[in-house]
Amino acid sequence: MTEAQLNAFIEENFSERNLVIISNREPYVHKKTLAGIKTESPAGGLTSAMDNVLKAVGGTWIAWGSGSADRDTVDENDRVSVPEGDNAYILKRVWLNKGLVDNYYHGYSNQVLWPLCHTALNRIYFRRRYWEGYVRANFLFAEAALEEAHENSVIWIHDYHLCIAPKLIKEKRPDLTTIHFWHIPWPDWSVFRACPRHSQVLEGLLGNDIIGFQLPIFAANFMDCIENSIDATIDQDNLTITYRGHTTRLKAFPISIDFKNFETMSSSKRTERAMINLKRKLHLPPMIGIGVDRLEYTKGLMMRLQALNLFFEKYDSFRGIFSFVQLAVPTRLKEPYLSYKKGVEAMASGINSRYGTPDWQPIIYLDNKVDHKDLVAYYRMADIGIISSIYDGMNLVAKEFAASQVDEKGTLILSEMAGAAEELDGAILVNPYDTENFADSINIVLKMSEDERKNRMRVLRKQIIDNDIYKWILDILSEVASVSSVMLKECKDFFDSSAQLRKELSSKELFLFLDYDGTLAPIAETPETAVINDATREIINMLKGKYKVAIISGRQLEDIMNMVQINDIYYAGNHGSEIWSGDEMFLSQDFTDVRSRLKDILKRLENELTHIPGVLIEDKGITASVHYRKVWTKDHGELFSIFNNVTKGCEDIFRITSGKKVFEIRPVKAWNKGDAVRWIMKNYGEGTLPVYIGDDTTDEDAFKEIGDGGVSVSVGGNPESEYFVSTQAEVIDFLKFFLDL
Ligand code: ADQ
C-alpha cells in the first residue's frame, strides 16, 4: 500500500465528506520562545499519518490547545490553518482550564481509564470531580465537532480520553458517521467492572457507528462488558450492538507504521554516520541492545531491568561485550510517574554499580526524546530490541525496530502481553513476569546464528510491509464508507414518537403481541425465576378487554401459559411452533422426525459440557435452549467451541441462533415468531393492526413480518424494529400507553 494509493482512495470516497478528526493531543503546537512563536510538528507516527490524510483531502482536526502560544495563533473561532504556508486543513482548538486538565486528563483519563484498560487495578484512583471534568471536557470536544461538522461529515475520534463525546455528537446529529479508534487494550468484564461510572463510559461509546480495536480479543472483551452491564441487543456473529435504536459495529484494525519511511531513514548515509558517532560517544561495546519507551509503568521497564540484572549475573561472559541502551522519555510528569522514574533510574544505576567497570557500562540510560530520523540509528545498530510491556494495545516500537533493521541482523524480544505479539511472527516472545526465562531469552538471542536472525527478521519485516499505516487507514475508511453506504438501520424512541402514534392508532382496532422473557419479565438467572410482576399482569388483564392480546415466547406452550396465568388471550410457544387460540392448540407441523436428532444433540451437549459449571440445557420438545448466563466468562471460549463442534453439520435440519446468553436450536422448518404472527393475524386478527414488542434476536422475524403493516417495538433497540423502548422496566409504560389510548 502506498501513500499515493491511499490518497487516491480518499479523494474518490471522502472528498465530499469532510473528515473531522478529534484527539486529545494536537498535531501542531505553537510555543512561545525567546526567538518568537515556534511550531512543533507531529511527534508520533500516527499523528503524522493522520496529518497526511488531512493534508490530502482537507478537513478539520479538533484537539486540546495545550501550547503556550496556541491562543495567539487562532482566529475568533479558535481555528488555525495548518501546516503553516500550506494551509491544507483546519486545526480547531478546544480550551481546557487547569482544573479541567487535572480532572479530565490527569484524573479520569490517566488515573482511571488508562490503568483500568492495562489491568493495573491497584493504580486506579478515582474522585467524583475527575468524572465531572471528564464529562465537561468531552462536552467541549463534542461541541467543537458539531460546530465544524457539515452535512455528511465523518467524525473520527481517537482513544480513551473521549468516551462520552460520541454519544453527545450522535444525540444532536444522528446523521453524522462516527468512528472511534481505541488505541489501548480493552479488558474483559471481570476487570472492567471495577471502573467507576462504567455504564456511562459504555453508553457514551455506543454513540459511535464503528468502534475499532487493535485486536479481535479487545472487541470480544468490549462485547462481554456490554452483555454484562447494558440492556442492548447483541449480534455476536456480525459483532454489532444495538442500543436505544442505534447500531454500533465493532472491528479490529491492528495499527502499524510508515514502513517505507523508517526503512528510508534507516538506510541513509546520515544514519550510518550517526551510528558511528553514537558508538564512539556512548563507548558502546561490540554487542548492543535497545529499549525505546515512554517512561510508563505499562511498558514494564522494571521487569526488563530485572531480567537484564539476572542476565549479567548468570551469563557473565557477556559482561564487557554487551550493553543495553534504554531510551526512556518521561511523560505525564506527575505521580505515580515521578516515583516510577526514580525506581527505574535507581535500578539501572544499581546494575551499573554491580557489574560496570571504568570502561564499560551494562546499562546506558538516556531520558531524552529523540526524533525518529535520529532514533533509527539506535534501532539499526542494535543486535537485540526489547519490549516488555505488561499489557499494550499494539506497541509501535516493535514495528519501528523491525522496519529500521535494514541489515536484518537484529532480533526482537517481545512481551506476549503486547498486541504486537499477536501480529508479528519472527520475534522471540517472553512473559515479562517470568524473569529467569526472560534473562535466558536474551542469552539465546545473543548466541543465535546469523542465519536464524536474518530469517526471523525477514519474516517480521514482511508482515509490516504488507500491513503498514496506510493499509490501516484504508481499512478503517473502507469500513466507514461501507457503513455509510449501507446506512445501519436506526429505530426511533417509542416515547418520543408517542404523540404521533396516539394520533395514528387511536381510531384503530389493535392486536397486541407481547414477548415474555426480557420484555414482560426481566431477564433472570434461570428460566423459572423470570417472572412477571403483578402490576404488569393486571394491566394485561385490562388490555385484553380492549384489544386482542397474544403472548409470543420461545418457551414451551405449557410453560409460558403457566408463567403468565392469564386466560382468554392467545399464546404462541416454542418460538411460534405451538399456538393456543383460547380453546384449542395448533401445532404448526409434525416434528417426530427431527425429535430424535434433537435428543442426540442435547445428549452430546450434556456429556461434553458437564465440566463447565452453570450451563443450563432446556429441552422444549420441538426446540431447545442452551443458557450460559451463569457460566464464568473465562469458560465462554471453551463452551462456544464445544457447542459449535456438536452442532456443526446439522445446519440442514436445525437453525442455530444466539440471544441474550443463550443459544437456540430450532428445526429449520419450524415456524418462527414471524410465522406465528402471520398465522394468528390471518385466522383471528381480521381488521386489526398488529403491534409487536420483543427484546431478542428471535423477535426479529416478527419485526420483519410486521414491516410497515403495523407497529414493531424492540426493548433496548433492534435495527429490524421501527421503534424502541430503552429498558425492560419501560415496558410497563408502553402497556399503559395502550391502556390510555
Ligand atoms: P503509546 O503507548 O504511546 O500509545 P507505542 O506504540 O509504544 O505507543 O509507541 C510509542 C511511540 O513513541 C513510538 O512511535 C516511539 O518511537 C515513540 N517514542 C517512545 N519513546 C521515545 C523516545 N525516548 N524518543 C523518541 N520517541 C520515542 C498507544 C498504545 C500503544 C499503541 C499506540 C498506537 O499504548 O499500544 O501501539 O497507541 O495505537
Side-chain angles (χ1 to χ4, degrees), residues 183 214 255 292-294 299 329 368-370 372 375 392-396 400:
H183 290 261
Q214 303 275 22
I255 200 167
V292 176
D293 308 80
R294 289 190 295 106
K299 303 291 177 187
V329 57
N368 53 317
K369 184 158 175 56
V370 184
H372 278 165
L375 193 57
D392 217 333
M394 178 54 61
N395 196 299
L396 294 178
E400 294 170 2

mmCIF file with all atom_site columns, all heavy atoms in Angstrom, residues 183 214 255 292-294 299 329 368-370 372 375 392-396 400, ligand 1:
data_model
loop_
_atom_site.group_PDB
_atom_site.id
_atom_site.type_symbol
_atom_site.label_atom_id
_atom_site.label_alt_id
_atom_site.label_comp_id
_atom_site.label_asym_id
_atom_site.label_entity_id
_atom_site.label_seq_id
_atom_site.pdbx_PDB_ins_code
_atom_site.Cartn_x
_atom_site.Cartn_y
_atom_site.Cartn_z
_atom_site.occupancy
_atom_site.B_iso_or_equiv
_atom_site.pdbx_formal_charge
_atom_site.auth_seq_id
_atom_site.auth_comp_id
_atom_site.auth_asym_id
_atom_site.auth_atom_id
_atom_site.pdbx_PDB_model_num
ATOM   1   N N   . HIS A 1 183 ? -6.977 2.918  21.071 1.00 0.00 ? 183 HIS A N   1
ATOM   2   C CA  . HIS A 1 183 ? -5.567 2.548  20.874 1.00 0.00 ? 183 HIS A CA  1
ATOM   3   C C   . HIS A 1 183 ? -5.030 1.582  21.921 1.00 0.00 ? 183 HIS A C   1
ATOM   4   O O   . HIS A 1 183 ? -4.008 0.950  21.702 1.00 0.00 ? 183 HIS A O   1
ATOM   5   C CB  . HIS A 1 183 ? -4.705 3.811  20.889 1.00 0.00 ? 183 HIS A CB  1
ATOM   6   C CG  . HIS A 1 183 ? -4.914 4.670  19.679 1.00 0.00 ? 183 HIS A CG  1
ATOM   7   N ND1 . HIS A 1 183 ? -4.057 4.656  18.605 1.00 0.00 ? 183 HIS A ND1 1
ATOM   8   C CD2 . HIS A 1 183 ? -5.896 5.550  19.356 1.00 0.00 ? 183 HIS A CD2 1
ATOM   9   C CE1 . HIS A 1 183 ? -4.496 5.490  17.680 1.00 0.00 ? 183 HIS A CE1 1
ATOM   10  N NE2 . HIS A 1 183 ? -5.608 6.056  18.112 1.00 0.00 ? 183 HIS A NE2 1
ATOM   11  N N   . GLN A 1 214 ? -7.498 -2.706 18.470 1.00 0.00 ? 214 GLN A N   1
ATOM   12  C CA  . GLN A 1 214 ? -6.259 -3.222 17.889 1.00 0.00 ? 214 GLN A CA  1
ATOM   13  C C   . GLN A 1 214 ? -6.384 -4.701 17.526 1.00 0.00 ? 214 GLN A C   1
ATOM   14  O O   . GLN A 1 214 ? -5.849 -5.143 16.521 1.00 0.00 ? 214 GLN A O   1
ATOM   15  C CB  . GLN A 1 214 ? -5.098 -3.079 18.907 1.00 0.00 ? 214 GLN A CB  1
ATOM   16  C CG  . GLN A 1 214 ? -4.855 -1.671 19.396 1.00 0.00 ? 214 GLN A CG  1
ATOM   17  C CD  . GLN A 1 214 ? -3.951 -0.867 18.473 1.00 0.00 ? 214 GLN A CD  1
ATOM   18  O OE1 . GLN A 1 214 ? -3.816 -1.191 17.298 1.00 0.00 ? 214 GLN A OE1 1
ATOM   19  N NE2 . GLN A 1 214 ? -3.352 0.183  18.991 1.00 0.00 ? 214 GLN A NE2 1
ATOM   20  N N   . ILE A 1 255 ? -3.018 -1.485 14.324 1.00 0.00 ? 255 ILE A N   1
ATOM   21  C CA  . ILE A 1 255 ? -2.336 -0.280 13.816 1.00 0.00 ? 255 ILE A CA  1
ATOM   22  C C   . ILE A 1 255 ? -0.907 -0.603 13.389 1.00 0.00 ? 255 ILE A C   1
ATOM   23  O O   . ILE A 1 255 ? -0.335 -1.610 13.818 1.00 0.00 ? 255 ILE A O   1
ATOM   24  C CB  . ILE A 1 255 ? -2.361 0.837  14.888 1.00 0.00 ? 255 ILE A CB  1
ATOM   25  C CG1 . ILE A 1 255 ? -2.123 2.194  14.253 1.00 0.00 ? 255 ILE A CG1 1
ATOM   26  C CG2 . ILE A 1 255 ? -1.360 0.561  15.989 1.00 0.00 ? 255 ILE A CG2 1
ATOM   27  C CD1 . ILE A 1 255 ? -2.444 3.348  15.182 1.00 0.00 ? 255 ILE A CD1 1
ATOM   28  N N   . VAL A 1 292 ? 13.157 1.377  23.720 1.00 0.00 ? 292 VAL A N   1
ATOM   29  C CA  . VAL A 1 292 ? 12.667 2.742  23.454 1.00 0.00 ? 292 VAL A CA  1
ATOM   30  C C   . VAL A 1 292 ? 11.242 2.827  23.980 1.00 0.00 ? 292 VAL A C   1
ATOM   31  O O   . VAL A 1 292 ? 10.352 2.121  23.505 1.00 0.00 ? 292 VAL A O   1
ATOM   32  C CB  . VAL A 1 292 ? 12.674 3.054  21.932 1.00 0.00 ? 292 VAL A CB  1
ATOM   33  C CG1 . VAL A 1 292 ? 12.088 4.428  21.652 1.00 0.00 ? 292 VAL A CG1 1
ATOM   34  C CG2 . VAL A 1 292 ? 14.087 2.962  21.380 1.00 0.00 ? 292 VAL A CG2 1
ATOM   35  N N   . ASP A 1 293 ? 11.055 3.646  24.994 1.00 0.00 ? 293 ASP A N   1
ATOM   36  C CA  . ASP A 1 293 ? 9.713  3.698  25.590 1.00 0.00 ? 293 ASP A CA  1
ATOM   37  C C   . ASP A 1 293 ? 9.442  5.071  26.160 1.00 0.00 ? 293 ASP A C   1
ATOM   38  O O   . ASP A 1 293 ? 10.356 5.783  26.546 1.00 0.00 ? 293 ASP A O   1
ATOM   39  C CB  . ASP A 1 293 ? 9.606  2.749  26.793 1.00 0.00 ? 293 ASP A CB  1
ATOM   40  C CG  . ASP A 1 293 ? 10.056 1.361  26.488 1.00 0.00 ? 293 ASP A CG  1
ATOM   41  O OD1 . ASP A 1 293 ? 11.292 1.125  26.489 1.00 0.00 ? 293 ASP A OD1 1
ATOM   42  O OD2 . ASP A 1 293 ? 9.203  0.520  26.243 1.00 0.00 ? 293 ASP A OD2 1
ATOM   43  N N   . ARG A 1 294 ? 8.151  5.361  26.266 1.00 0.00 ? 294 ARG A N   1
ATOM   44  C CA  . ARG A 1 294 ? 7.782  6.435  27.188 1.00 0.00 ? 294 ARG A CA  1
ATOM   45  C C   . ARG A 1 294 ? 8.009  5.852  28.570 1.00 0.00 ? 294 ARG A C   1
ATOM   46  O O   . ARG A 1 294 ? 7.852  4.637  28.782 1.00 0.00 ? 294 ARG A O   1
ATOM   47  C CB  . ARG A 1 294 ? 6.300  6.781  27.014 1.00 0.00 ? 294 ARG A CB  1
ATOM   48  C CG  . ARG A 1 294 ? 6.008  7.483  25.727 1.00 0.00 ? 294 ARG A CG  1
ATOM   49  C CD  . ARG A 1 294 ? 4.596  8.028  25.650 1.00 0.00 ? 294 ARG A CD  1
ATOM   50  N NE  . ARG A 1 294 ? 3.583  7.002  25.664 1.00 0.00 ? 294 ARG A NE  1
ATOM   51  C CZ  . ARG A 1 294 ? 2.800  6.713  26.693 1.00 0.00 ? 294 ARG A CZ  1
ATOM   52  N NH1 . ARG A 1 294 ? 2.915  7.384  27.833 1.00 0.00 ? 294 ARG A NH1 1
ATOM   53  N NH2 . ARG A 1 294 ? 1.892  5.775  26.620 1.00 0.00 ? 294 ARG A NH2 1
ATOM   54  N N   . LYS A 1 299 ? 4.861  -0.220 30.332 1.00 0.00 ? 299 LYS A N   1
ATOM   55  C CA  . LYS A 1 299 ? 5.877  -0.709 29.389 1.00 0.00 ? 299 LYS A CA  1
ATOM   56  C C   . LYS A 1 299 ? 6.829  -1.710 30.055 1.00 0.00 ? 299 LYS A C   1
ATOM   57  O O   . LYS A 1 299 ? 7.742  -2.232 29.412 1.00 0.00 ? 299 LYS A O   1
ATOM   58  C CB  . LYS A 1 299 ? 6.670  0.458  28.779 1.00 0.00 ? 299 LYS A CB  1
ATOM   59  C CG  . LYS A 1 299 ? 5.795  1.491  28.073 1.00 0.00 ? 299 LYS A CG  1
ATOM   60  C CD  . LYS A 1 299 ? 5.148  0.980  26.786 1.00 0.00 ? 299 LYS A CD  1
ATOM   61  C CE  . LYS A 1 299 ? 4.234  2.025  26.158 1.00 0.00 ? 299 LYS A CE  1
ATOM   62  N NZ  . LYS A 1 299 ? 3.470  1.531  25.022 1.00 0.00 ? 299 LYS A NZ  1
ATOM   63  N N   . VAL A 1 329 ? 11.722 8.283  27.600 1.00 0.00 ? 329 VAL A N   1
ATOM   64  C CA  . VAL A 1 329 ? 11.336 9.693  27.643 1.00 0.00 ? 329 VAL A CA  1
ATOM   65  C C   . VAL A 1 329 ? 10.221 9.885  28.680 1.00 0.00 ? 329 VAL A C   1
ATOM   66  O O   . VAL A 1 329 ? 9.199  9.194  28.640 1.00 0.00 ? 329 VAL A O   1
ATOM   67  C CB  . VAL A 1 329 ? 10.959 10.217 26.233 1.00 0.00 ? 329 VAL A CB  1
ATOM   68  C CG1 . VAL A 1 329 ? 9.858  9.424  25.602 1.00 0.00 ? 329 VAL A CG1 1
ATOM   69  C CG2 . VAL A 1 329 ? 10.594 11.677 26.260 1.00 0.00 ? 329 VAL A CG2 1
ATOM   70  N N   . ASN A 1 368 ? 16.164 11.341 27.134 1.00 0.00 ? 368 ASN A N   1
ATOM   71  C CA  . ASN A 1 368 ? 15.717 12.408 26.226 1.00 0.00 ? 368 ASN A CA  1
ATOM   72  C C   . ASN A 1 368 ? 14.879 11.858 25.084 1.00 0.00 ? 368 ASN A C   1
ATOM   73  O O   . ASN A 1 368 ? 14.967 10.685 24.734 1.00 0.00 ? 368 ASN A O   1
ATOM   74  C CB  . ASN A 1 368 ? 16.928 13.170 25.662 1.00 0.00 ? 368 ASN A CB  1
ATOM   75  C CG  . ASN A 1 368 ? 17.920 12.238 25.036 1.00 0.00 ? 368 ASN A CG  1
ATOM   76  O OD1 . ASN A 1 368 ? 18.206 11.179 25.593 1.00 0.00 ? 368 ASN A OD1 1
ATOM   77  N ND2 . ASN A 1 368 ? 18.429 12.597 23.882 1.00 0.00 ? 368 ASN A ND2 1
ATOM   78  N N   . LYS A 1 369 ? 14.046 12.739 24.543 1.00 0.00 ? 369 LYS A N   1
ATOM   79  C CA  . LYS A 1 369 ? 13.228 12.341 23.402 1.00 0.00 ? 369 LYS A CA  1
ATOM   80  C C   . LYS A 1 369 ? 14.077 12.498 22.144 1.00 0.00 ? 369 LYS A C   1
ATOM   81  O O   . LYS A 1 369 ? 14.795 13.484 21.999 1.00 0.00 ? 369 LYS A O   1
ATOM   82  C CB  . LYS A 1 369 ? 11.989 13.242 23.325 1.00 0.00 ? 369 LYS A CB  1
ATOM   83  C CG  . LYS A 1 369 ? 11.045 12.826 22.236 1.00 0.00 ? 369 LYS A CG  1
ATOM   84  C CD  . LYS A 1 369 ? 9.641  13.339 22.509 1.00 0.00 ? 369 LYS A CD  1
ATOM   85  C CE  . LYS A 1 369 ? 8.689  13.044 21.377 1.00 0.00 ? 369 LYS A CE  1
ATOM   86  N NZ  . LYS A 1 369 ? 8.577  11.661 20.988 1.00 0.00 ? 369 LYS A NZ  1
ATOM   87  N N   . VAL A 1 370 ? 14.013 11.536 21.268 1.00 0.00 ? 370 VAL A N   1
ATOM   88  C CA  . VAL A 1 370 ? 14.845 11.566 20.071 1.00 0.00 ? 370 VAL A CA  1
ATOM   89  C C   . VAL A 1 370 ? 13.921 11.571 18.855 1.00 0.00 ? 370 VAL A C   1
ATOM   90  O O   . VAL A 1 370 ? 12.971 10.789 18.800 1.00 0.00 ? 370 VAL A O   1
ATOM   91  C CB  . VAL A 1 370 ? 15.733 10.291 20.033 1.00 0.00 ? 370 VAL A CB  1
ATOM   92  C CG1 . VAL A 1 370 ? 16.682 10.336 18.855 1.00 0.00 ? 370 VAL A CG1 1
ATOM   93  C CG2 . VAL A 1 370 ? 16.506 10.142 21.336 1.00 0.00 ? 370 VAL A CG2 1
ATOM   94  N N   . HIS A 1 372 ? 12.459 10.738 15.225 1.00 0.00 ? 372 HIS A N   1
ATOM   95  C CA  . HIS A 1 372 ? 12.506 9.455  14.520 1.00 0.00 ? 372 HIS A CA  1
ATOM   96  C C   . HIS A 1 372 ? 13.689 9.350  13.566 1.00 0.00 ? 372 HIS A C   1
ATOM   97  O O   . HIS A 1 372 ? 14.287 8.291  13.419 1.00 0.00 ? 372 HIS A O   1
ATOM   98  C CB  . HIS A 1 372 ? 11.195 9.209  13.779 1.00 0.00 ? 372 HIS A CB  1
ATOM   99  C CG  . HIS A 1 372 ? 10.127 8.665  14.689 1.00 0.00 ? 372 HIS A CG  1
ATOM   100 N ND1 . HIS A 1 372 ? 8.807  8.637  14.370 1.00 0.00 ? 372 HIS A ND1 1
ATOM   101 C CD2 . HIS A 1 372 ? 10.210 8.122  15.937 1.00 0.00 ? 372 HIS A CD2 1
ATOM   102 C CE1 . HIS A 1 372 ? 8.112  8.096  15.373 1.00 0.00 ? 372 HIS A CE1 1
ATOM   103 N NE2 . HIS A 1 372 ? 8.946  7.797  16.334 1.00 0.00 ? 372 HIS A NE2 1
ATOM   104 N N   . LEU A 1 375 ? 16.344 8.388  15.812 1.00 0.00 ? 375 LEU A N   1
ATOM   105 C CA  . LEU A 1 375 ? 16.039 7.148  16.527 1.00 0.00 ? 375 LEU A CA  1
ATOM   106 C C   . LEU A 1 375 ? 16.423 5.915  15.694 1.00 0.00 ? 375 LEU A C   1
ATOM   107 O O   . LEU A 1 375 ? 16.887 4.904  16.228 1.00 0.00 ? 375 LEU A O   1
ATOM   108 C CB  . LEU A 1 375 ? 14.536 7.120  16.819 1.00 0.00 ? 375 LEU A CB  1
ATOM   109 C CG  . LEU A 1 375 ? 14.010 6.095  17.810 1.00 0.00 ? 375 LEU A CG  1
ATOM   110 C CD1 . LEU A 1 375 ? 14.695 6.219  19.163 1.00 0.00 ? 375 LEU A CD1 1
ATOM   111 C CD2 . LEU A 1 375 ? 12.499 6.261  17.983 1.00 0.00 ? 375 LEU A CD2 1
ATOM   112 N N   . ASP A 1 392 ? -0.323 -3.986 26.403 1.00 0.00 ? 392 ASP A N   1
ATOM   113 C CA  . ASP A 1 392 ? -0.110 -2.911 25.435 1.00 0.00 ? 392 ASP A CA  1
ATOM   114 C C   . ASP A 1 392 ? -1.090 -3.104 24.292 1.00 0.00 ? 392 ASP A C   1
ATOM   115 O O   . ASP A 1 392 ? -1.272 -4.246 23.837 1.00 0.00 ? 392 ASP A O   1
ATOM   116 C CB  . ASP A 1 392 ? 1.332  -3.006 24.897 1.00 0.00 ? 392 ASP A CB  1
ATOM   117 C CG  . ASP A 1 392 ? 1.958  -1.650 24.656 1.00 0.00 ? 392 ASP A CG  1
ATOM   118 O OD1 . ASP A 1 392 ? 1.212  -0.702 24.396 1.00 0.00 ? 392 ASP A OD1 1
ATOM   119 O OD2 . ASP A 1 392 ? 3.194  -1.545 24.720 1.00 0.00 ? 392 ASP A OD2 1
ATOM   120 N N   . GLY A 1 393 ? -1.712 -2.020 23.838 1.00 0.00 ? 393 GLY A N   1
ATOM   121 C CA  . GLY A 1 393 ? -2.651 -2.144 22.726 1.00 0.00 ? 393 GLY A CA  1
ATOM   122 C C   . GLY A 1 393 ? -1.963 -2.788 21.534 1.00 0.00 ? 393 GLY A C   1
ATOM   123 O O   . GLY A 1 393 ? -2.377 -3.823 21.032 1.00 0.00 ? 393 GLY A O   1
ATOM   124 N N   . MET A 1 394 ? -0.884 -2.165 21.079 1.00 0.00 ? 394 MET A N   1
ATOM   125 C CA  . MET A 1 394 ? -0.103 -2.729 19.981 1.00 0.00 ? 394 MET A CA  1
ATOM   126 C C   . MET A 1 394 ? 1.378  -2.692 20.347 1.00 0.00 ? 394 MET A C   1
ATOM   127 O O   . MET A 1 394 ? 2.009  -3.673 20.592 1.00 0.00 ? 394 MET A O   1
ATOM   128 C CB  . MET A 1 394 ? -0.360 -1.910 18.702 1.00 0.00 ? 394 MET A CB  1
ATOM   129 C CG  . MET A 1 394 ? 0.423  -2.359 17.490 1.00 0.00 ? 394 MET A CG  1
ATOM   130 S SD  . MET A 1 394 ? 0.238  -4.107 17.090 1.00 0.00 ? 394 MET A SD  1
ATOM   131 C CE  . MET A 1 394 ? -1.493 -4.261 16.773 1.00 0.00 ? 394 MET A CE  1
ATOM   132 N N   . ASN A 1 395 ? 1.963  -1.535 20.422 1.00 0.00 ? 395 ASN A N   1
ATOM   133 C CA  . ASN A 1 395 ? 3.377  -1.201 20.607 1.00 0.00 ? 395 ASN A CA  1
ATOM   134 C C   . ASN A 1 395 ? 4.050  -0.998 19.251 1.00 0.00 ? 395 ASN A C   1
ATOM   135 O O   . ASN A 1 395 ? 4.465  -1.935 18.576 1.00 0.00 ? 395 ASN A O   1
ATOM   136 C CB  . ASN A 1 395 ? 4.152  -2.237 21.432 1.00 0.00 ? 395 ASN A CB  1
ATOM   137 C CG  . ASN A 1 395 ? 5.468  -1.619 21.891 1.00 0.00 ? 395 ASN A CG  1
ATOM   138 O OD1 . ASN A 1 395 ? 6.296  -1.230 21.075 1.00 0.00 ? 395 ASN A OD1 1
ATOM   139 N ND2 . ASN A 1 395 ? 5.622  -1.471 23.189 1.00 0.00 ? 395 ASN A ND2 1
ATOM   140 N N   . LEU A 1 396 ? 4.144  0.273  18.904 1.00 0.00 ? 396 LEU A N   1
ATOM   141 C CA  . LEU A 1 396 ? 4.696  0.631  17.596 1.00 0.00 ? 396 LEU A CA  1
ATOM   142 C C   . LEU A 1 396 ? 6.205  0.495  17.549 1.00 0.00 ? 396 LEU A C   1
ATOM   143 O O   . LEU A 1 396 ? 6.792  0.336  16.481 1.00 0.00 ? 396 LEU A O   1
ATOM   144 C CB  . LEU A 1 396 ? 4.287  2.060  17.233 1.00 0.00 ? 396 LEU A CB  1
ATOM   145 C CG  . LEU A 1 396 ? 2.776  2.254  17.009 1.00 0.00 ? 396 LEU A CG  1
ATOM   146 C CD1 . LEU A 1 396 ? 2.449  3.699  16.700 1.00 0.00 ? 396 LEU A CD1 1
ATOM   147 C CD2 . LEU A 1 396 ? 2.291  1.355  15.868 1.00 0.00 ? 396 LEU A CD2 1
ATOM   148 N N   . GLU A 1 400 ? 8.698  -0.325 14.491 1.00 0.00 ? 400 GLU A N   1
ATOM   149 C CA  . GLU A 1 400 ? 9.742  0.627  14.086 1.00 0.00 ? 400 GLU A CA  1
ATOM   150 C C   . GLU A 1 400 ? 11.112 -0.045 14.105 1.00 0.00 ? 400 GLU A C   1
ATOM   151 O O   . GLU A 1 400 ? 11.945 0.167  13.222 1.00 0.00 ? 400 GLU A O   1
ATOM   152 C CB  . GLU A 1 400 ? 9.751  1.838  15.033 1.00 0.00 ? 400 GLU A CB  1
ATOM   153 C CG  . GLU A 1 400 ? 8.492  2.686  14.941 1.00 0.00 ? 400 GLU A CG  1
ATOM   154 C CD  . GLU A 1 400 ? 8.380  3.753  16.032 1.00 0.00 ? 400 GLU A CD  1
ATOM   155 O OE1 . GLU A 1 400 ? 9.314  3.878  16.855 1.00 0.00 ? 400 GLU A OE1 1
ATOM   156 O OE2 . GLU A 1 400 ? 7.361  4.443  16.057 1.00 0.00 ? 400 GLU A OE2 1
HETATM 157 P P1  . ADQ B 2 .   ? 1.921  4.555  23.201 1.00 0.00 ? 1   ADQ B P1  1
HETATM 158 O O1  . ADQ B 2 .   ? 1.900  3.671  24.375 1.00 0.00 ? 1   ADQ B O1  1
HETATM 159 O O2  . ADQ B 2 .   ? 2.395  5.905  23.381 1.00 0.00 ? 1   ADQ B O2  1
HETATM 160 O O3  . ADQ B 2 .   ? 0.448  4.616  22.541 1.00 0.00 ? 1   ADQ B O3  1
HETATM 161 P P2  . ADQ B 2 .   ? 3.730  2.971  21.412 1.00 0.00 ? 1   ADQ B P2  1
HETATM 162 O O4  . ADQ B 2 .   ? 3.089  2.082  20.437 1.00 0.00 ? 1   ADQ B O4  1
HETATM 163 O O5  . ADQ B 2 .   ? 4.543  2.364  22.492 1.00 0.00 ? 1   ADQ B O5  1
HETATM 164 O O6  . ADQ B 2 .   ? 2.658  3.995  21.908 1.00 0.00 ? 1   ADQ B O6  1
HETATM 165 O O7  . ADQ B 2 .   ? 4.615  3.971  20.579 1.00 0.00 ? 1   ADQ B O7  1
HETATM 166 C C1  . ADQ B 2 .   ? 5.349  4.984  21.193 1.00 0.00 ? 1   ADQ B C1  1
HETATM 167 C C2  . ADQ B 2 .   ? 5.857  5.974  20.157 1.00 0.00 ? 1   ADQ B C2  1
HETATM 168 O O8  . ADQ B 2 .   ? 6.639  6.933  20.846 1.00 0.00 ? 1   ADQ B O8  1
HETATM 169 C C3  . ADQ B 2 .   ? 6.734  5.367  19.094 1.00 0.00 ? 1   ADQ B C3  1
HETATM 170 O O9  . ADQ B 2 .   ? 6.490  5.989  17.869 1.00 0.00 ? 1   ADQ B O9  1
HETATM 171 C C4  . ADQ B 2 .   ? 8.155  5.653  19.582 1.00 0.00 ? 1   ADQ B C4  1
HETATM 172 O O10 . ADQ B 2 .   ? 9.087  5.810  18.544 1.00 0.00 ? 1   ADQ B O10 1
HETATM 173 C C5  . ADQ B 2 .   ? 7.958  6.945  20.338 1.00 0.00 ? 1   ADQ B C5  1
HETATM 174 N N1  . ADQ B 2 .   ? 8.908  7.021  21.461 1.00 0.00 ? 1   ADQ B N1  1
HETATM 175 C C6  . ADQ B 2 .   ? 8.864  6.346  22.605 1.00 0.00 ? 1   ADQ B C6  1
HETATM 176 N N2  . ADQ B 2 .   ? 9.938  6.637  23.374 1.00 0.00 ? 1   ADQ B N2  1
HETATM 177 C C7  . ADQ B 2 .   ? 10.656 7.508  22.681 1.00 0.00 ? 1   ADQ B C7  1
HETATM 178 C C8  . ADQ B 2 .   ? 11.891 8.193  22.936 1.00 0.00 ? 1   ADQ B C8  1
HETATM 179 N N3  . ADQ B 2 .   ? 12.602 8.015  24.055 1.00 0.00 ? 1   ADQ B N3  1
HETATM 180 N N4  . ADQ B 2 .   ? 12.308 9.009  21.995 1.00 0.00 ? 1   ADQ B N4  1
HETATM 181 C C9  . ADQ B 2 .   ? 11.614 9.164  20.862 1.00 0.00 ? 1   ADQ B C9  1
HETATM 182 N N5  . ADQ B 2 .   ? 10.472 8.569  20.563 1.00 0.00 ? 1   ADQ B N5  1
HETATM 183 C C10 . ADQ B 2 .   ? 10.003 7.742  21.463 1.00 0.00 ? 1   ADQ B C10 1
HETATM 184 C C11 . ADQ B 2 .   ? -0.733 3.894  22.389 1.00 0.00 ? 1   ADQ B C11 1
HETATM 185 C C12 . ADQ B 2 .   ? -0.835 2.447  22.868 1.00 0.00 ? 1   ADQ B C12 1
HETATM 186 C C13 . ADQ B 2 .   ? 0.014  1.529  22.028 1.00 0.00 ? 1   ADQ B C13 1
HETATM 187 C C14 . ADQ B 2 .   ? -0.317 1.693  20.544 1.00 0.00 ? 1   ADQ B C14 1
HETATM 188 C C15 . ADQ B 2 .   ? -0.252 3.161  20.150 1.00 0.00 ? 1   ADQ B C15 1
HETATM 189 C C16 . ADQ B 2 .   ? -0.752 3.388  18.725 1.00 0.00 ? 1   ADQ B C16 1
HETATM 190 O O11 . ADQ B 2 .   ? -0.456 2.371  24.235 1.00 0.00 ? 1   ADQ B O11 1
HETATM 191 O O12 . ADQ B 2 .   ? -0.191 0.175  22.413 1.00 0.00 ? 1   ADQ B O12 1
HETATM 192 O O13 . ADQ B 2 .   ? 0.624  0.963  19.775 1.00 0.00 ? 1   ADQ B O13 1
HETATM 193 O O14 . ADQ B 2 .   ? -1.081 3.944  20.990 1.00 0.00 ? 1   ADQ B O14 1
HETATM 194 O O15 . ADQ B 2 .   ? -2.055 2.923  18.580 1.00 0.00 ? 1   ADQ B O15 1
#
